[in-house]
Amino acid sequence: MTRTFYRCLVWMHPPRFRERYAEEMEWIFDETATAGERAFLFCDGLVSLVRQWVVRSGMWKIALATLGALIQARFILHPY
């Protein structure tokens, strides 16, 4: 059952990433022996998922621009 969850986690990555790394990620997961090692792989997979969708996709630029606009609006509307 944990393998199914891990495969779903891998599947949620962007297509180009999956094409390149899915097979290797699943092989490493299958080779892990302990529950602690598998828990670490789940955490690593979640971090990778966020990194691939947010950082690599450029969404961080939109978030940063929005934050900058909100800060500017705050100082324009309430300068003191």
Side-chain angles (χ1 to χ4, degrees), residues 27-65:
W27 177 80
I28 291 169
F29 185 82
D30 290 339
E31 294 296 313
T32 58
T34 67
E37 291 171 337
R38 288 188 173 195
F40 174 79
L41 287 176
F42 271 106
C43 292
D44 186 54
L46 286 171
V47 169
S48 172
L49 183 64
V50 171
R51 184 173 48 239
Q52 293 303 315
W53 280 110
V54 175
V55 176
R56 303 259 191 251
S57 71
M59 288 176 62
W60 66 272
K61 295 175 188 175
I62 296 169
L64 188 61

Side-chain angles (χ1 to χ4, degrees), residues 1 17-20 30 32 41 53 60 64 68 70-71 73:
M1 183 146 178
F17 182 89
R18 279 196 320 263
E19 291 168 6
R20 172 69 173 93
D30 290 339
T32 58
L41 287 176
W53 280 110
W60 66 272
L64 188 61
L70 290 173
I71 291 170

